[in-house]
Amino acid sequence: MPTAPTTLADSTLADAVTKSMNTAGAVIGFLAVLAALFAVAGRARGRWSRRTALAVFLVPALALLTVGLLIPAVRTIYLSLHGADGTRSVGMRNYVWAFTNDAIRQVLLNTVVWIVVAPIAATALGLGLAVLVDRMRHEALYKALIFLPMAVSFVGASIIWKFVYEYRAPGEHQIGLLSQVFMTLGWKNPPNWLLSHPLNNFLLMVILVWVQTGFAMVVLSAAIKAVPTDIVEAAKLDGARGVRVFVFVTLPMIRNTMIVVLTTIMITTLKVFDIVRTMTGGNFGTQVLANEMYSQSFVQFNTGRGSALAVILFLAVLPLVGYNIVRLRKERVAR
Amino acid sequence: MSERVRRSLSGPLASLAVIVVTVLWTIPTFGLFVSSLRPAGQVADSGWWTVFTHPSLTLANYHTVLFEGGFGVSGGLMPYLVNSLAIAIPATLFPLVIAAMAAYALAWIRFKGSSVIFFGIFALQVVPLQMALIPLLRLFSQGVHVGNVAIIPSPHLAGTYVPVWVAHTIFALPLAIFLLHNFIAQLPREVMEAAVMDGASHFKIFRSIVVPLAAPALASFAIFQFLWVWNDLLVALTFAGGTPQVAPLTARLAQLAGGFGSRWELLTAGAFVSIVIPLIVFFSLQRFFVRGLVAGSVKG
């Protein structure tokens, strides 16, 4: 954890004004530099026009991506083969550590459970809702309410759910909704939810599902509406009935969208960091890969181990993102 | 679908299912909202649902949390709210402009290696930002050294917004360039060619044709990026986490929520403050946002 800011030096109105001016200054400065470049470069004619245009248009993006993403990513691979301070070479030892250390194995196991359970739950729920909401009155209202958590940050969502899972010792007034519901149903002493491993992992996953279901619903609903009605009508003329039409006609037509939704949520899940950090701090058996990577790198300052975990994360994301990218590219070429 | 199934899918059971899910989805946020409006003592002592039998609401929590603090912080959350805005606005604008220009160059300026570069940027989407955090942080704090020679000197940027802006900009670029390229490349060829015939330079075409025509795509990405930056915790913690002068609301709230025995009434009000701006953006620009989201459904 970074050091807690206990005092805030000059948190006055003047300070806020200074900050805003800095921001405005940065934005105006950035735009002014661009405008100047445009003005100068716009005068270039002929052969030079194309080259100056390329330089002005493309070089900023390429420079930032090379210095800020490409080189650092390669450097992370290099660091993962080195010790805590990044100088002593240790070969594959950081990776061996990751897969043999009991605590880290638990972390990897948790992560696998997360990326299997949460995305499937969110996608299935989203699909179900997309089908059901399709013919309801006030469809847009239901969709907006279910989609709403998407606009809430994971930190905000975690605080919202902290209030649901909050636990009080038996006999005290419950302020947590979950305990209250179970007590109303007759369970006198419900457990301290967030301490109960492995139940707590699933309770944290609920938050991710809560956030992501709306996304799945909105995208899948759009896909279902895009299925040509004549194909569905034709299947019906051939004697197919409702559920069969859905399973054999609609589902195959939206299969690709479903896979994109599923992998997108999987990627989000794999990198999820805020929920675990905010709810349990990774304690009580709830640690996941992205969180452990942060903790190794920036709390324990072991760049070697942190980098190795980042590379593992990358290797896990690779096939998921890669699939989506290749598929989208194919679609683009086909278009 | 057959009449029977259509009827059962739109029948009372189906409607009931949707309504139940919608209510379940809304209750947690509603509970937070109600709690944030209850007097401090009551929030800590009883569940928010007791408000229905003992109604008593106040705006005091919001005043306290914004201006007075009560977390052992003198100024409350207001400075963090300002930080969030000061981070999110430039971190939306910078990548938007840079990506739009790069997308235009890749789509409409012919040069050797154009498609190689496009595919390279496209492929960078597989790199999760976790892969770049440690070296990028070092770059900001120490510069680049080969042996004892400083190639890039230490920029002394700690405690400023610059590292956060730059990091967000870099991490947004691959997807932004990809999405905007898709849109800009589909602008009508005749319009572009006519402009070239008229002797317009690339700069003029970009300014007077591409930006106005691509406005919907630009708006959609801007909203997406703004929400992403506003809601981000990881980049904020890494590049601004330890410094209250620049830390955004999410970083502060995560810290407060992490401590047990928090003052609930302030935490709830704080959380609600943090989601108000995304909610405003979301409700006022929902159509754009959803479109951008669908287009950006591969953000890796």
mmCIF file of all heavy atoms in Angstrom, chain A residues 5-6 8 19 23 34 41 50 76 147 151 153 162-163 168 173 210 236 264 271 325 332 335, chain B residues 1 25 35 44-45 72 83 86 110 122 131 186 203 231 244 255 257 264 278 282 297 300:
data_model
loop_
_atom_site.group_PDB
_atom_site.id
_atom_site.type_symbol
_atom_site.label_atom_id
_atom_site.label_comp_id
_atom_site.label_asym_id
_atom_site.label_seq_id
_atom_site.Cartn_x
_atom_site.Cartn_y
_atom_site.Cartn_z
ATOM 1 N N PRO A 5 -1.900 9.217 2.945
ATOM 2 C CA PRO A 5 -1.826 10.665 3.111
ATOM 3 C C PRO A 5 -2.630 11.049 4.341
ATOM 4 O O PRO A 5 -3.840 10.956 4.338
ATOM 5 C CB PRO A 5 -2.474 11.213 1.839
ATOM 6 C CG PRO A 5 -3.278 10.094 1.291
ATOM 7 C CD PRO A 5 -2.774 8.805 1.874
ATOM 8 N N THR A 6 -1.969 11.435 5.398
ATOM 9 C CA THR A 6 -2.708 11.741 6.616
ATOM 10 C C THR A 6 -3.026 13.217 6.700
ATOM 11 O O THR A 6 -4.028 13.618 7.258
ATOM 12 C CB THR A 6 -1.908 11.332 7.860
ATOM 13 O OG1 THR A 6 -0.568 11.787 7.680
ATOM 14 C CG2 THR A 6 -1.914 9.843 8.056
ATOM 15 N N LEU A 8 -3.234 16.882 4.401
ATOM 16 C CA LEU A 8 -3.267 17.413 3.064
ATOM 17 C C LEU A 8 -2.861 18.870 3.201
ATOM 18 O O LEU A 8 -3.605 19.681 3.709
ATOM 19 C CB LEU A 8 -4.677 17.279 2.506
ATOM 20 C CG LEU A 8 -4.793 17.396 1.008
ATOM 21 C CD1 LEU A 8 -4.000 16.287 0.350
ATOM 22 C CD2 LEU A 8 -6.233 17.282 0.604
ATOM 23 N N LYS A 19 -4.716 24.080 -9.152
ATOM 24 C CA LYS A 19 -4.785 22.807 -9.866
ATOM 25 C C LYS A 19 -5.548 22.950 -11.176
ATOM 26 O O LYS A 19 -5.120 22.451 -12.220
ATOM 27 C CB LYS A 19 -5.475 21.759 -9.007
ATOM 28 C CG LYS A 19 -4.611 21.209 -7.897
ATOM 29 C CD LYS A 19 -5.454 20.337 -7.002
ATOM 30 C CE LYS A 19 -4.591 19.668 -5.944
ATOM 31 N NZ LYS A 19 -5.408 18.895 -5.017
ATOM 32 N N THR A 23 -4.254 22.430 -15.046
ATOM 33 C CA THR A 23 -4.908 21.567 -16.021
ATOM 34 C C THR A 23 -5.259 22.346 -17.281
ATOM 35 O O THR A 23 -4.942 21.923 -18.392
ATOM 36 C CB THR A 23 -6.187 20.972 -15.421
ATOM 37 O OG1 THR A 23 -5.832 20.337 -14.209
ATOM 38 C CG2 THR A 23 -6.811 19.991 -16.362
ATOM 39 N N LEU A 34 0.039 22.110 -31.052
ATOM 40 C CA LEU A 34 -0.507 21.453 -32.241
ATOM 41 C C LEU A 34 -0.902 22.477 -33.303
ATOM 42 O O LEU A 34 -0.586 22.324 -34.485
ATOM 43 C CB LEU A 34 -1.726 20.620 -31.861
ATOM 44 C CG LEU A 34 -1.433 19.266 -31.258
ATOM 45 C CD1 LEU A 34 -2.736 18.596 -30.857
ATOM 46 C CD2 LEU A 34 -0.684 18.395 -32.246
ATOM 47 N N ALA A 41 3.300 23.688 -40.711
ATOM 48 C CA ALA A 41 3.365 22.569 -41.644
ATOM 49 C C ALA A 41 2.374 22.741 -42.788
ATOM 50 O O ALA A 41 2.614 22.281 -43.907
ATOM 51 C CB ALA A 41 3.098 21.264 -40.896
ATOM 52 N N ARG A 50 3.739 16.032 -47.755
ATOM 53 C CA ARG A 50 3.379 14.709 -47.277
ATOM 54 C C ARG A 50 4.278 14.294 -46.103
ATOM 55 O O ARG A 50 3.824 13.725 -45.126
ATOM 56 C CB ARG A 50 3.504 13.711 -48.421
ATOM 57 C CG ARG A 50 2.719 12.448 -48.224
ATOM 58 C CD ARG A 50 2.753 11.634 -49.495
ATOM 59 N NE ARG A 50 4.129 11.421 -49.911
ATOM 60 C CZ ARG A 50 4.747 10.244 -49.763
ATOM 61 N NH1 ARG A 50 4.116 9.238 -49.256
ATOM 62 N NH2 ARG A 50 5.993 10.109 -50.139
ATOM 63 N N THR A 76 9.996 -5.414 -19.137
ATOM 64 C CA THR A 76 9.365 -6.208 -18.080
ATOM 65 C C THR A 76 9.733 -7.686 -18.224
ATOM 66 O O THR A 76 9.982 -8.366 -17.230
ATOM 67 C CB THR A 76 7.837 -6.017 -18.115
ATOM 68 O OG1 THR A 76 7.542 -4.655 -17.798
ATOM 69 C CG2 THR A 76 7.145 -6.916 -17.117
ATOM 70 N N PHE A 147 -27.816 -1.702 -16.782
ATOM 71 C CA PHE A 147 -26.537 -1.277 -17.352
ATOM 72 C C PHE A 147 -25.823 -0.273 -16.449
ATOM 73 O O PHE A 147 -24.610 -0.131 -16.513
ATOM 74 C CB PHE A 147 -26.784 -0.644 -18.726
ATOM 75 C CG PHE A 147 -25.533 -0.350 -19.501
ATOM 76 C CD1 PHE A 147 -24.835 -1.371 -20.126
ATOM 77 C CD2 PHE A 147 -25.058 0.944 -19.596
ATOM 78 C CE1 PHE A 147 -23.684 -1.108 -20.837
ATOM 79 C CE2 PHE A 147 -23.894 1.217 -20.313
ATOM 80 C CZ PHE A 147 -23.206 0.189 -20.933
ATOM 81 N N ALA A 151 -21.354 2.319 -15.218
ATOM 82 C CA ALA A 151 -20.857 3.688 -15.092
ATOM 83 C C ALA A 151 -20.187 3.919 -13.740
ATOM 84 O O ALA A 151 -19.479 4.889 -13.546
ATOM 85 C CB ALA A 151 -21.997 4.680 -15.280
ATOM 86 N N SER A 153 -17.519 3.145 -10.873
ATOM 87 C CA SER A 153 -16.176 2.565 -10.845
ATOM 88 C C SER A 153 -16.185 1.286 -10.020
ATOM 89 O O SER A 153 -17.077 1.066 -9.200
ATOM 90 C CB SER A 153 -15.192 3.553 -10.245
ATOM 91 O OG SER A 153 -15.504 3.753 -8.882
ATOM 92 N N LYS A 162 -19.813 -3.363 -0.115
ATOM 93 C CA LYS A 162 -19.335 -3.468 1.260
ATOM 94 C C LYS A 162 -20.529 -3.290 2.207
ATOM 95 O O LYS A 162 -20.622 -3.904 3.244
ATOM 96 C CB LYS A 162 -18.292 -2.383 1.519
ATOM 97 C CG LYS A 162 -16.979 -2.945 2.034
ATOM 98 C CD LYS A 162 -15.981 -1.854 2.232
ATOM 99 C CE LYS A 162 -14.911 -2.236 3.133
ATOM 100 N NZ LYS A 162 -14.061 -3.087 3.401
ATOM 101 N N PHE A 163 -21.417 -2.427 1.758
ATOM 102 C CA PHE A 163 -22.598 -2.122 2.544
ATOM 103 C C PHE A 163 -23.584 -3.277 2.531
ATOM 104 O O PHE A 163 -24.417 -3.385 3.410
ATOM 105 C CB PHE A 163 -23.256 -0.847 1.996
ATOM 106 C CG PHE A 163 -23.479 0.171 3.031
ATOM 107 C CD1 PHE A 163 -22.443 0.564 3.849
ATOM 108 C CD2 PHE A 163 -24.734 0.716 3.236
ATOM 109 C CE1 PHE A 163 -22.646 1.493 4.831
ATOM 110 C CE2 PHE A 163 -24.945 1.638 4.228
ATOM 111 C CZ PHE A 163 -23.896 2.029 5.036
ATOM 112 N N ARG A 168 -22.024 -7.643 11.390
ATOM 113 C CA ARG A 168 -21.989 -7.248 12.793
ATOM 114 C C ARG A 168 -22.138 -8.498 13.647
ATOM 115 O O ARG A 168 -22.862 -9.427 13.289
ATOM 116 C CB ARG A 168 -23.139 -6.289 13.112
ATOM 117 C CG ARG A 168 -22.993 -4.923 12.494
ATOM 118 C CD ARG A 168 -21.851 -4.150 13.141
ATOM 119 N NE ARG A 168 -21.489 -2.976 12.377
ATOM 120 C CZ ARG A 168 -22.089 -1.788 12.525
ATOM 121 N NH1 ARG A 168 -23.089 -1.668 13.347
ATOM 122 N NH2 ARG A 168 -21.686 -0.755 11.820
ATOM 123 N N HIS A 173 -27.149 -4.588 15.956
ATOM 124 C CA HIS A 173 -27.979 -4.217 14.809
ATOM 125 C C HIS A 173 -27.204 -4.469 13.529
ATOM 126 O O HIS A 173 -26.073 -4.011 13.407
ATOM 127 C CB HIS A 173 -28.356 -2.736 14.889
ATOM 128 C CG HIS A 173 -29.435 -2.459 15.870
ATOM 129 N ND1 HIS A 173 -30.714 -2.920 15.699
ATOM 130 C CD2 HIS A 173 -29.436 -1.779 17.036
ATOM 131 C CE1 HIS A 173 -31.449 -2.532 16.729
ATOM 132 N NE2 HIS A 173 -30.696 -1.845 17.554
ATOM 133 N N TRP A 210 -22.264 -8.180 -11.223
ATOM 134 C CA TRP A 210 -23.201 -7.049 -11.096
ATOM 135 C C TRP A 210 -22.823 -5.934 -12.073
ATOM 136 O O TRP A 210 -23.671 -5.333 -12.716
ATOM 137 C CB TRP A 210 -23.167 -6.543 -9.653
ATOM 138 C CG TRP A 210 -24.087 -5.404 -9.337
ATOM 139 C CD1 TRP A 210 -25.446 -5.460 -9.271
ATOM 140 C CD2 TRP A 210 -23.731 -4.060 -9.033
ATOM 141 N NE1 TRP A 210 -25.951 -4.228 -8.929
ATOM 142 C CE2 TRP A 210 -24.920 -3.342 -8.773
ATOM 143 C CE3 TRP A 210 -22.512 -3.374 -8.929
ATOM 144 C CZ2 TRP A 210 -24.936 -1.994 -8.432
ATOM 145 C CZ3 TRP A 210 -22.522 -2.029 -8.586
ATOM 146 C CH2 TRP A 210 -23.726 -1.359 -8.350
ATOM 147 N N LYS A 236 -39.406 -21.113 -39.034
ATOM 148 C CA LYS A 236 -40.703 -21.429 -38.461
ATOM 149 C C LYS A 236 -41.609 -22.084 -39.500
ATOM 150 O O LYS A 236 -42.337 -23.026 -39.218
ATOM 151 C CB LYS A 236 -41.357 -20.161 -37.903
ATOM 152 C CG LYS A 236 -40.959 -19.933 -36.455
ATOM 153 C CD LYS A 236 -41.790 -18.864 -35.815
ATOM 154 C CE LYS A 236 -41.255 -17.505 -36.214
ATOM 155 N NZ LYS A 236 -42.103 -16.432 -35.669
ATOM 156 N N THR A 264 -14.180 -10.555 -23.660
ATOM 157 C CA THR A 264 -13.979 -9.203 -23.140
ATOM 158 C C THR A 264 -14.139 -9.179 -21.625
ATOM 159 O O THR A 264 -13.325 -8.590 -20.906
ATOM 160 C CB THR A 264 -15.002 -8.238 -23.764
ATOM 161 O OG1 THR A 264 -14.886 -8.315 -25.180
ATOM 162 C CG2 THR A 264 -14.731 -6.812 -23.331
ATOM 163 N N LYS A 271 -7.794 -8.840 -15.170
ATOM 164 C CA LYS A 271 -7.055 -7.670 -14.723
ATOM 165 C C LYS A 271 -7.715 -7.007 -13.527
ATOM 166 O O LYS A 271 -7.269 -5.970 -13.086
ATOM 167 C CB LYS A 271 -6.930 -6.678 -15.888
ATOM 168 C CG LYS A 271 -6.127 -7.279 -17.041
ATOM 169 C CD LYS A 271 -5.740 -6.265 -18.066
ATOM 170 C CE LYS A 271 -6.946 -5.677 -18.743
ATOM 171 N NZ LYS A 271 -6.578 -4.786 -19.838
ATOM 172 N N ILE A 325 -8.970 -9.971 -31.635
ATOM 173 C CA ILE A 325 -8.365 -9.104 -32.633
ATOM 174 C C ILE A 325 -8.386 -9.775 -34.004
ATOM 175 O O ILE A 325 -8.798 -9.169 -34.999
ATOM 176 C CB ILE A 325 -6.924 -8.744 -32.218
ATOM 177 C CG1 ILE A 325 -6.967 -7.791 -31.022
ATOM 178 C CG2 ILE A 325 -6.177 -8.121 -33.370
ATOM 179 C CD1 ILE A 325 -5.611 -7.352 -30.536
ATOM 180 N N ARG A 332 -13.328 -7.231 -40.704
ATOM 181 C CA ARG A 332 -13.033 -5.984 -41.382
ATOM 182 C C ARG A 332 -12.633 -6.220 -42.831
ATOM 183 O O ARG A 332 -13.047 -5.511 -43.730
ATOM 184 C CB ARG A 332 -11.886 -5.262 -40.668
ATOM 185 C CG ARG A 332 -12.295 -3.984 -39.999
ATOM 186 C CD ARG A 332 -11.168 -3.479 -39.150
ATOM 187 N NE ARG A 332 -9.946 -3.295 -39.917
ATOM 188 C CZ ARG A 332 -9.759 -2.274 -40.766
ATOM 189 N NH1 ARG A 332 -10.706 -1.394 -40.939
ATOM 190 N NH2 ARG A 332 -8.631 -2.156 -41.418
ATOM 191 N N ARG A 335 -15.544 -7.105 -44.916
ATOM 192 C CA ARG A 335 -16.374 -5.959 -45.208
ATOM 193 C C ARG A 335 -15.796 -5.189 -46.317
ATOM 194 O O ARG A 335 -15.706 -4.877 -47.251
ATOM 195 C CB ARG A 335 -16.462 -5.057 -43.981
ATOM 196 C CG ARG A 335 -17.896 -4.719 -43.660
ATOM 197 C CD ARG A 335 -17.960 -3.602 -42.633
ATOM 198 N NE ARG A 335 -17.508 -4.042 -41.311
ATOM 199 C CZ ARG A 335 -16.770 -3.260 -40.515
ATOM 200 N NH1 ARG A 335 -16.365 -2.086 -40.913
ATOM 201 N NH2 ARG A 335 -16.427 -3.686 -39.320
ATOM 202 N N MET B 1 -39.906 -17.016 -33.552
ATOM 203 C CA MET B 1 -40.288 -17.928 -32.475
ATOM 204 C C MET B 1 -41.779 -18.221 -32.547
ATOM 205 O O MET B 1 -42.558 -17.370 -32.953
ATOM 206 C CB MET B 1 -39.992 -17.271 -31.115
ATOM 207 C CG MET B 1 -38.516 -17.114 -30.855
ATOM 208 S SD MET B 1 -38.230 -16.369 -29.249
ATOM 209 C CE MET B 1 -36.646 -15.597 -29.557
ATOM 210 N N TRP B 25 -30.659 -5.541 -9.018
ATOM 211 C CA TRP B 25 -29.517 -4.777 -9.541
ATOM 212 C C TRP B 25 -29.493 -3.348 -9.005
ATOM 213 O O TRP B 25 -28.471 -2.708 -8.951
ATOM 214 C CB TRP B 25 -29.581 -4.762 -11.078
ATOM 215 C CG TRP B 25 -28.471 -5.531 -11.708
ATOM 216 C CD1 TRP B 25 -27.535 -5.062 -12.560
ATOM 217 C CD2 TRP B 25 -28.172 -6.919 -11.531
ATOM 218 N NE1 TRP B 25 -26.660 -6.057 -12.908
ATOM 219 C CE2 TRP B 25 -27.034 -7.203 -12.295
ATOM 220 C CE3 TRP B 25 -28.738 -7.951 -10.772
ATOM 221 C CZ2 TRP B 25 -26.442 -8.474 -12.347
ATOM 222 C CZ3 TRP B 25 -28.171 -9.217 -10.814
ATOM 223 C CH2 TRP B 25 -27.046 -9.462 -11.598
ATOM 224 N N SER B 35 -28.330 5.601 2.469
ATOM 225 C CA SER B 35 -27.406 5.690 3.611
ATOM 226 C C SER B 35 -26.676 7.019 3.638
ATOM 227 O O SER B 35 -26.458 7.597 4.707
ATOM 228 C CB SER B 35 -26.375 4.563 3.543
ATOM 229 O OG SER B 35 -27.014 3.325 3.627
ATOM 230 N N ALA B 44 -24.504 4.136 11.361
ATOM 231 C CA ALA B 44 -23.650 3.160 12.021
ATOM 232 C C ALA B 44 -24.453 2.157 12.839
ATOM 233 O O ALA B 44 -23.972 1.061 13.119
ATOM 234 C CB ALA B 44 -22.660 3.891 12.926
ATOM 235 N N ASP B 45 -25.681 2.521 13.216
ATOM 236 C CA ASP B 45 -26.429 1.681 14.137
ATOM 237 C C ASP B 45 -27.478 0.786 13.511
ATOM 238 O O ASP B 45 -27.829 -0.238 14.078
ATOM 239 C CB ASP B 45 -27.140 2.564 15.181
ATOM 240 C CG ASP B 45 -26.177 3.009 16.251
ATOM 241 O OD1 ASP B 45 -25.077 2.425 16.284
ATOM 242 O OD2 ASP B 45 -26.506 3.930 17.015
ATOM 243 N N GLY B 72 -9.600 12.399 9.235
ATOM 244 C CA GLY B 72 -8.271 12.828 9.639
ATOM 245 C C GLY B 72 -7.622 13.625 8.528
ATOM 246 O O GLY B 72 -6.428 13.807 8.480
ATOM 247 N N ASN B 83 -8.720 16.804 -8.178
ATOM 248 C CA ASN B 83 -7.678 15.979 -8.801
ATOM 249 C C ASN B 83 -8.256 15.088 -9.890
ATOM 250 O O ASN B 83 -7.677 14.939 -10.961
ATOM 251 C CB ASN B 83 -6.995 15.107 -7.752
ATOM 252 C CG ASN B 83 -6.052 15.898 -6.872
ATOM 253 O OD1 ASN B 83 -5.675 17.017 -7.218
ATOM 254 N ND2 ASN B 83 -5.669 15.333 -5.745
ATOM 255 N N ALA B 86 -8.899 17.095 -12.838
ATOM 256 C CA ALA B 86 -7.638 17.565 -13.415
ATOM 257 C C ALA B 86 -6.894 16.432 -14.111
ATOM 258 O O ALA B 86 -6.096 16.667 -15.016
ATOM 259 C CB ALA B 86 -6.764 18.175 -12.320
ATOM 260 N N ARG B 110 -0.521 8.111 -47.997
ATOM 261 C CA ARG B 110 0.128 6.906 -48.494
ATOM 262 C C ARG B 110 1.614 6.940 -48.193
ATOM 263 O O ARG B 110 2.279 7.918 -48.492
ATOM 264 C CB ARG B 110 -0.070 6.792 -49.997
ATOM 265 C CG ARG B 110 -1.445 6.269 -50.296
ATOM 266 C CD ARG B 110 -1.661 6.242 -51.761
ATOM 267 N NE ARG B 110 -3.104 6.157 -51.987
ATOM 268 C CZ ARG B 110 -3.612 5.657 -53.104
ATOM 269 N NH1 ARG B 110 -2.809 5.258 -54.058
ATOM 270 N NH2 ARG B 110 -4.910 5.581 -53.240
ATOM 271 N N PHE B 122 -2.101 -2.063 -33.772
ATOM 272 C CA PHE B 122 -3.224 -2.966 -33.561
ATOM 273 C C PHE B 122 -2.821 -4.103 -32.607
ATOM 274 O O PHE B 122 -3.525 -4.417 -31.653
ATOM 275 C CB PHE B 122 -3.577 -3.493 -34.946
ATOM 276 C CG PHE B 122 -4.755 -4.386 -35.013
ATOM 277 C CD1 PHE B 122 -6.015 -3.873 -34.837
ATOM 278 C CD2 PHE B 122 -4.586 -5.731 -35.292
ATOM 279 C CE1 PHE B 122 -7.111 -4.706 -34.926
ATOM 280 C CE2 PHE B 122 -5.679 -6.555 -35.387
ATOM 281 C CZ PHE B 122 -6.931 -6.036 -35.199
ATOM 282 N N MET B 131 2.020 -4.815 -17.891
ATOM 283 C CA MET B 131 3.322 -5.152 -18.473
ATOM 284 C C MET B 131 4.241 -3.937 -18.528
ATOM 285 O O MET B 131 5.449 -4.064 -18.683
ATOM 286 C CB MET B 131 3.136 -5.688 -19.897
ATOM 287 C CG MET B 131 2.828 -7.152 -19.986
ATOM 288 S SD MET B 131 4.253 -8.203 -19.715
ATOM 289 C CE MET B 131 5.055 -8.169 -21.327
ATOM 290 N N GLN B 186 -13.335 5.030 -43.423
ATOM 291 C CA GLN B 186 -14.575 4.833 -44.176
ATOM 292 C C GLN B 186 -15.207 6.132 -44.653
ATOM 293 O O GLN B 186 -16.278 6.109 -45.250
ATOM 294 C CB GLN B 186 -15.584 4.068 -43.314
ATOM 295 C CG GLN B 186 -15.276 2.582 -43.262
ATOM 296 C CD GLN B 186 -16.145 1.856 -42.267
ATOM 297 O OE1 GLN B 186 -17.065 2.418 -41.702
ATOM 298 N NE2 GLN B 186 -15.825 0.590 -42.055
ATOM 299 N N PHE B 203 -3.104 18.918 -43.630
ATOM 300 C CA PHE B 203 -3.488 19.616 -42.407
ATOM 301 C C PHE B 203 -4.861 20.224 -42.550
ATOM 302 O O PHE B 203 -5.687 20.197 -41.651
ATOM 303 C CB PHE B 203 -2.447 20.685 -42.077
ATOM 304 C CG PHE B 203 -1.079 20.096 -41.935
ATOM 305 C CD1 PHE B 203 -0.216 20.046 -43.011
ATOM 306 C CD2 PHE B 203 -0.688 19.536 -40.734
ATOM 307 C CE1 PHE B 203 1.022 19.463 -42.881
ATOM 308 C CE2 PHE B 203 0.552 18.957 -40.605
ATOM 309 C CZ PHE B 203 1.416 18.917 -41.683
ATOM 310 N N ASN B 231 -12.754 6.237 -13.603
ATOM 311 C CA ASN B 231 -12.966 5.052 -12.776
ATOM 312 C C ASN B 231 -11.689 4.287 -12.468
ATOM 313 O O ASN B 231 -11.699 3.326 -11.709
ATOM 314 C CB ASN B 231 -13.961 4.105 -13.464
ATOM 315 C CG ASN B 231 -15.368 4.665 -13.438
ATOM 316 O OD1 ASN B 231 -15.699 5.461 -12.569
ATOM 317 N ND2 ASN B 231 -16.195 4.258 -14.388
ATOM 318 N N PRO B 244 -0.992 12.866 -2.057
ATOM 319 C CA PRO B 244 -2.344 13.409 -1.955
ATOM 320 C C PRO B 244 -2.556 14.641 -2.833
ATOM 321 O O PRO B 244 -3.690 14.953 -3.174
ATOM 322 C CB PRO B 244 -2.473 13.768 -0.475
ATOM 323 C CG PRO B 244 -1.102 13.752 0.075
ATOM 324 C CD PRO B 244 -0.305 12.831 -0.769
ATOM 325 N N GLN B 255 -8.690 3.604 -0.331
ATOM 326 C CA GLN B 255 -7.940 3.612 0.912
ATOM 327 C C GLN B 255 -8.886 3.656 2.116
ATOM 328 O O GLN B 255 -8.704 2.921 3.084
ATOM 329 C CB GLN B 255 -7.080 4.859 0.888
ATOM 330 C CG GLN B 255 -5.904 4.829 1.792
ATOM 331 C CD GLN B 255 -5.100 6.082 1.592
ATOM 332 O OE1 GLN B 255 -5.666 7.169 1.434
ATOM 333 N NE2 GLN B 255 -3.801 5.951 1.601
ATOM 334 N N ALA B 257 -12.061 2.764 2.181
ATOM 335 C CA ALA B 257 -12.887 1.560 2.253
ATOM 336 C C ALA B 257 -12.075 0.393 2.784
ATOM 337 O O ALA B 257 -12.612 -0.525 3.390
ATOM 338 C CB ALA B 257 -13.461 1.222 0.885
ATOM 339 N N TRP B 264 -19.008 5.037 8.203
ATOM 340 C CA TRP B 264 -19.852 4.640 7.086
ATOM 341 C C TRP B 264 -20.556 5.811 6.412
ATOM 342 O O TRP B 264 -20.655 5.883 5.204
ATOM 343 C CB TRP B 264 -20.915 3.638 7.561
ATOM 344 C CG TRP B 264 -20.379 2.266 7.744
ATOM 345 C CD1 TRP B 264 -20.203 1.603 8.918
ATOM 346 C CD2 TRP B 264 -19.926 1.387 6.724
ATOM 347 N NE1 TRP B 264 -19.674 0.371 8.694
ATOM 348 C CE2 TRP B 264 -19.504 0.200 7.358
ATOM 349 C CE3 TRP B 264 -19.845 1.472 5.329
ATOM 350 C CZ2 TRP B 264 -19.007 -0.886 6.645
ATOM 351 C CZ3 TRP B 264 -19.349 0.392 4.625
ATOM 352 C CH2 TRP B 264 -18.940 -0.762 5.285
ATOM 353 N N PRO B 278 -19.694 10.273 -13.394
ATOM 354 C CA PRO B 278 -19.947 9.244 -14.417
ATOM 355 C C PRO B 278 -21.433 9.088 -14.727
ATOM 356 O O PRO B 278 -21.804 8.892 -15.884
ATOM 357 C CB PRO B 278 -19.394 7.966 -13.793
ATOM 358 C CG PRO B 278 -18.460 8.396 -12.748
ATOM 359 C CD PRO B 278 -18.849 9.776 -12.311
ATOM 360 N N PHE B 282 -22.999 9.456 -18.221
ATOM 361 C CA PHE B 282 -23.689 8.276 -18.720
ATOM 362 C C PHE B 282 -25.105 8.595 -19.186
ATOM 363 O O PHE B 282 -25.522 8.233 -20.284
ATOM 364 C CB PHE B 282 -23.721 7.223 -17.619
ATOM 365 C CG PHE B 282 -24.528 6.012 -17.932
ATOM 366 C CD1 PHE B 282 -24.066 5.062 -18.821
ATOM 367 C CD2 PHE B 282 -25.764 5.835 -17.339
ATOM 368 C CE1 PHE B 282 -24.820 3.946 -19.107
ATOM 369 C CE2 PHE B 282 -26.527 4.717 -17.629
ATOM 370 C CZ PHE B 282 -26.048 3.775 -18.510
ATOM 371 N N SER B 297 -15.471 -3.156 -27.785
ATOM 372 C CA SER B 297 -15.649 -4.312 -26.925
ATOM 373 C C SER B 297 -14.428 -5.216 -26.867
ATOM 374 O O SER B 297 -14.476 -6.274 -26.289
ATOM 375 C CB SER B 297 -16.876 -5.114 -27.350
ATOM 376 O OG SER B 297 -16.739 -5.495 -28.687
ATOM 377 N N GLY B 300 -8.378 -4.265 -24.463
ATOM 378 C CA GLY B 300 -7.614 -5.244 -23.680
ATOM 379 C C GLY B 300 -6.762 -4.538 -22.743
ATOM 380 O O GLY B 300 -5.862 -4.625 -22.161
#
